Each structure stands twice: as structure tokens, then as C-alpha cells.
Amino acid sequence: MSVRESILREMGLGPIWRLRDAPDTEVPDVEAVADAAVDVAPDTPANPPLRRLSSEMLSMARNADVAAEAPAALTSAESREPPAAAADLDWDALTQAIQACRDCSLCEQRTHAVPGIGDHQADWLIVGEGPGAEEDVQGQPFVGKAGKLLDAMLSAIGLARGENVYLTNAVKCRPPMSRPLDASELAACFPYLSRQIELIKPRLIVVLGRPAAQALLNTDIRIASARGRCFDYRGIPVVVTYHPAYLLRNPLDKAKAWEDLCFARRQMRDRSSGNGDT
Ligand code: URA
């Protein structure tokens, strides 16, 4: 499988390569791609950006592994004390507290609270925004369409959910009709995320989307300007990128998300090899 093929596949654009007789070097026909993209098809039916996307991804893939920069310096967000509310809870008690929580109105319409899933000793913590409809029904994070894209994104950097990765959300209950979260809901749920981070002690946190980034870093962040920087959450490097649900609506930005994940992977590698102390 060529580099190009595997990148496109991992980012959820793979089915285009099932088109018969398409030479590897040719950009696929846009209409055919829209018809063939069955797994995590972008929401937009016509998809002209694919032409640019594939070349951008290729050039990023070339650069991703050869870049030998020092790890980015950590950017401090406003310092934030861990909230006391969930302090000292072990995993079982924390899970039960989340499932029984009535600290904000999101509890009223939830089917299930969604604490998170994965390796409790993971090096990688991925923080999304909040459960959607399918997550609410199943009680697990990222099981819907956005979750499929997230799995593809993780796989593109050699990760798989549950294997050295923990997935959770900034809020643990679905906002009704998946409306935007308000600040008080993010704040009410923050003690749970904070305690999860204390228990997991991840080596790197990837935050998906602006609300989650704001909740964790306690500062007003725009993803477009925060990309490519390493923030600091109590000594843990934090990389922000676009939320997969956003990427489904804006497939052109998948290339940027891929770049961000390569950046995150480099940070992890460089910090593991001791270069991060500078
Ligand atoms: N979006 C999120 O932010 N989290 C989920 O668990 C699912 C969709």
C-alpha cells in the first residue's frame, strides 16, 4: 500500500481507492468519490476539496516523520487548581459518581452518563466535547460517525482506542439535541475530567474542539490559532485540534487535523526521548 493510499484510507477517505482501474498517481473523480465514500463520508455531497486535500496530506506525510525539531515549549494557560469535588475518588467511585451526577441540568435528559473508555494507564488521553445521541444510548464515548473518524485519525498515527489511549469528554452527559454546551455545564463537569487526568497521568493530552480546549485550559482558545502549540495542563503537554464532527462537515480541514496529530506524535516521541526538558 502506498503512503498516499494509507493516509487517505486512515483519514476516512479510503473507499476512493476501491475504484477500479484508477492509477495510483491520478486524482480520483470527485463524483465517483462522493458515491464511493461509504465509511465516514463527509456531510457535503460534492467534494471538490479532495484534489487539494490529497496533495496537502502527501506533503505533510513526507514532512511528518523527517521533522527533527526540538519539542515545542509548553504554553501556559491560566493556572488552574484541581477542583476538590472528585478528589481522592478511585476509578470505581469516580465512575459511580459520574453516573449518579446531578450537578447540572444535563442529567435530566440523559439516558446514560458517559465516563470514558480505555486504558487507565494510557500515555495518550483524548478529550472530546460531550456525548452525542449514540453515545448517550450506549454509555460509551465516540461510538457514532465522529467516533469512526476519530478511530481512523488515531490509527493514522499508530494508535487504537483502548491500547495506551483513553477517550473521554469534557462533559459526561449529552446536551439535549446536541446543542452547544454552556460554560456552567463545562465547569460543573470539570472535576471529573480533572480526576480522570490525575488517575491516568497521561504523557500527552489531545483536545478535540474549542469547548473542550476551553474547559481544560481555562482560557479562550480558537483552534485555528492554537494549533501547532503545546499547552500545559499541570505539567502535561496539551495539543489541540479540530473535533471529528467538525471535520465531517469541513473535510478540507482533515489535512490540518492530520498535521496536528503528527505534531502530537512528535511531541510524545521527543519528550519520551528526553528532548522535552529543554
Ligand atoms: N462527540 C464528542 O465530543 N464526544 C463523543 O463521545 C461523541 C461525539
Side-chain angles (χ1 to χ4, degrees):
M1 187 186 297
S2 70
V3 173
R4 180 187 200 201
E5 185 177 348
S6 69
I7 292 166
L8 289 171
R9 186 176 61 88
E10 297 304 349
M11 294 299 285
L13 298 170
I16 61 177
W17 295 102
R18 291 195 204 124
L19 297 175
R20 281 207 211 121
D21 304 329
D24 205 35
T25 49
E26 242 175 50
V27 177
D29 171 71
V30 167
E31 298 291 322
V33 167
D35 289 345
V38 290
D39 282 344
V40 277
D43 285 351
T44 45
N47 207 356
L50 276 173
R51 280 172 195 274
R52 273 185 46 208
L53 183 62
S54 52
S55 63
E56 280 169 354
M57 289 170 104
L58 256 187
S59 83
M60 282 184 291
R62 282 193 205 104
N63 295 334
D65 284 325
V66 291
E69 303 153 13
L74 296 188
T75 304
S76 292
E78 281 172 51
S79 67
R80 167 167 222 176
E81 286 304 307
D88 303 331
L89 299 184
D90 65 15
W91 273 110
D92 286 346
L94 181 61
T95 302
Q96 282 166 23
I98 292 170
Q99 285 165 343
C101 181
R102 304 203 64 81
D103 287 353
C104 81
S105 63
L106 295 185
C107 68
E108 286 160 18
Q109 292 183 48
R110 73 177 173 221
T111 312
H112 293 108
V114 182
I117 196 162
D119 180 350
H120 287 176
Q121 271 104 44
D123 286 338
W124 293 80
L125 173 65
I126 314 290
V127 182
E129 185 175 334
E134 293 180 56
E135 290 78 17
D136 177 64
V137 171
Q138 295 189 37
Q140 290 199 6
F142 287 106
V143 290
K145 219 172 163 189
K148 280 200 183 121
L149 178 55
L150 178 61
D151 285 339
M153 292 163 68
L154 293 177
S155 164
I157 56 164
L159 298 175
R161 69 166 71 202
E163 294 173 18
N164 204 19
V165 177
Y166 192 86
L167 300 180
T168 191
N169 284 301
V171 301
K172 314 303 188 200
C173 298
R174 182 193 181 206
M177 309 303 291
S178 299
R179 63 155 170 75
L181 294 164
D182 71 35
S184 67
E185 291 158 347
L186 288 161
C189 222
F190 184 70
Y192 299 128
L193 177 61
S194 169
R195 183 62 184 153
Q196 287 175 318
I197 296 171
E198 281 177 349
L199 288 168
I200 297 168
K201 301 185 181 52
R203 304 220 341 255
L204 189 130
I205 303 175
V206 177
V207 182
L208 307 172
R210 191 177 183 199
Q214 292 185 174
L216 186 67
L217 299 171
N218 199 27
T219 191
D220 190 18
I221 275 192
R222 299 190 70 84
I223 299 299
S225 50
R227 296 178 52 241
R229 287 157 66 191
C230 240
F231 291 85
D232 171 75
Y233 174 79
R234 305 187 64 221
I236 303 169
V238 177
V239 171
V240 304
T241 190
Y242 295 104
H243 192 286
Y246 164 88
L247 295 173
L248 290 171
R249 296 189 303 272
N250 299 274
L252 241 196
D253 283 340
K254 284 182 181 177
K256 294 180 185 161
W258 160 253
E259 190 177 36
D260 297 339
L261 291 178
C262 290
F263 173 74
R265 186 178 57 178
R266 273 205 312 278
Q267 295 305 311
M268 178 70 96
R269 262 190 209 154
D270 292 350
R271 286 169 202 283
S272 307
S273 64
N275 294 342
D277 301 333
T278 53

